[in-house]
Amino acid sequence: MSFIIAGTGSCAAQTNIDNTFFEKIIDTSDKWITTRTGIKNRTFLTDESLTDIATKSAIAALEEACISADELDFIICATLQGDYIMPSLSCMIQKNIGAHCPAVDINAACTGFLYALDIADSYFKSDKVRNILIVCADNMSKFLDFSDRSTCILFGDGAGAVVLKNGNSLKYINITAHGDKEILYIKGTQHKLPFIEKSMQEKDDNYLKMDGQKVFKFAVSTVTEDIKRALSDSNIDSSLIKYFILHQANQRILECSQDFLKEVPEKFPKNLNNLGNTSAASIPILLDELNKTKKIKKGDLILLSAFGGGMTSGTAIIEWSY
Ligand code: UT7
């Protein structure tokens, strides 16, 4: 016995930042950003915290699943970093919603949702739990160098959540990691230490760094390979998949996967044009949008696939259950 998805929720940050904002601060244009990425707008946290929007998405998912926070057996939160290093974001959410179960944060960058589902699957299979809350939330704007035009235009802040209950919706899941810190990374902060010579301490630069072309190549090859393997290992023909819900990084990456599968664009829903790349939150936010607009129905098969820093990747096939 594994899980069913019993409720979804999401919350974008409240401040809209369209491409014209970047035209004013760096050498770029709405045309370049739109044609190279598909992104027109993103939302950034200004007055609210990551914990606030993560909590709102969790409450929405609990309401839809018709369970109280007290009935949760575990909270898994996928994030690069919460508002505090300690307590974890999952513990902050646990307190805010009034839950009493264990809570842990995981970091698999943009693949966080798939890693969280895989961990949850093991818990359900071991009969340790009846209900799990997964919250994926990232505050990407705090890692961005707003003078680096190749990265700052790509990301947005957001949170998405699902409540999982016992059931048999999961048809396939696989996660991977290819340890590599060269093409996509954010260095951790390090205060000056009195016992290390100043000259030995590296210059502080904790902004997100990326070799865009290499990440693009990794994304296209990994996502297409992962999807091919998922379909073949689960013995499911791609024609039976209602939606390919892929990590929302770049419109051109979605199109490459679509061409590879010889599928129609309608089967590749997207929200990156409005929200940018919201890291771990991108797939659960999109899932919630499809669910709330009743585009996914009971019995539909959906394929989820993500890639991200690490480098990590993950793919799952789920039958929608309500
Ligand atoms: O969640 C995972 C995170 N990351 C990703 O998924 C990113 C994957 N990579 C990408 O999406 C693309 O590589 C980018 C959108 C980042 C860049 O697009 P590209 O088509 O690979 O452009 P490029 O890096 O080859 O740069 C082409 C040109 C360069 O100018 P020169 O050297 O040809 O004169 C860049 O300096 O475009 C320039 N450029 C820009 N121009 C205007 C880079 N960023 C910008 C910009 N506005 N914002």
Side-chain angles (χ1 to χ4, degrees), residues 26-29 32-33 36-37 110 149-150 153-155 184 210 212-213 215-216 247 249-250 252-253 277 307-308:
I26 45 171
D27 179 17
T28 191
S29 63
W32 191 97
I33 302 172
R36 299 285 181 126
T37 71
C110 304
R149 66 179 183 172
S150 66
I153 48 112
L154 295 173
F155 297 92
L184 180 57
M210 182 178 72
Q213 286 192 0
V215 174
F216 194 100
H247 172 48
N250 187 318
R252 290 187 291 139
I253 297 173
N277 177 349
F307 67 92

Side-chain angles (χ1 to χ4, degrees), residues 99-110:
H100 299 98
C101 59
V104 70
D105 283 6
I106 60 161
N107 176 0
C110 304

Side-chain angles (χ1 to χ4, degrees), residues 89-265:
L89 183 56
S90 53
C91 283
M92 304 277 277
I93 297 166
Q94 189 239 35
K95 178 174 165 51
N96 284 352
I97 62 178
H100 299 98
C101 59
V104 70
D105 283 6
I106 60 161
N107 176 0
C110 304
T111 316
F113 186 51
L114 276 303
Y115 269 70
L117 287 177
D118 193 63
I119 294 167
D121 177 40
S122 303
Y123 270 79
F124 280 106
K125 284 196 174 121
S126 70
D127 275 339
K128 279 176 90 170
V129 293
R130 284 170 306 129
N131 304 306
I132 293 184
L133 170 68
I134 293 176
V135 184
C136 301
D138 268 314
N139 185 175
M140 295 308 292
S141 58
K142 77 175 178 187
F143 300 118
L144 298 177
D145 175 353
F146 283 90
S147 64
D148 176 4
R149 66 179 183 172
S150 66
T151 54
C152 69
I153 48 112
L154 295 173
F155 297 92
D157 301 332
V162 295
V163 168
L164 307 178
K165 292 182 181 175
N166 273 311
N168 275 319
S169 276
L170 185 66
K171 303 301 169 200
Y172 173 89
I173 190 156
N174 189 52
I175 51 174
T176 74
H178 315 268
D180 180 348
K181 76 164 177 58
E182 301 307 321
I183 65 171
L184 180 57
Y185 67 91
I186 305 167
K187 198 167 173 291
T189 16
Q190 175 62 69
H191 300 298
K192 299 271 178 272
L193 299 171
F195 51 87
I196 298 181
E197 270 182 48
K198 274 205 181 95
S199 59
M200 288 173 66
Q201 302 197 22
E202 285 179 49
K203 193 172 155 280
D204 273 343
D205 182 348
N206 313 114
Y207 293 124
L208 180 144
K209 307 278 186 221
M210 182 178 72
D211 181 331
Q213 286 192 0
K214 286 195 178 146
V215 174
F216 194 100
K217 279 184 197 141
F218 172 86
V220 171
S221 64
T222 306
V223 169
T224 51
E225 275 306 310
D226 281 3
I227 294 178
K228 197 162 74 179
R229 185 159 70 164
L231 294 170
S232 116
D233 288 2
S234 60
N235 213 15
I236 293 171
D237 191 81
S238 80
S239 62
L240 298 174
I241 303 290
K242 174 84 180 276
Y243 291 120
F244 294 86
I245 304 174
L246 308 190
H247 172 48
Q248 302 288 294
N250 187 318
Q251 168 75 37
R252 290 187 291 139
I253 297 173
L254 302 186
E255 284 164 1
C256 288
S257 307
Q258 181 195 308
D259 290 348
F260 163 79
L261 288 163
K262 299 185 176 54
E263 286 286 359
V264 291

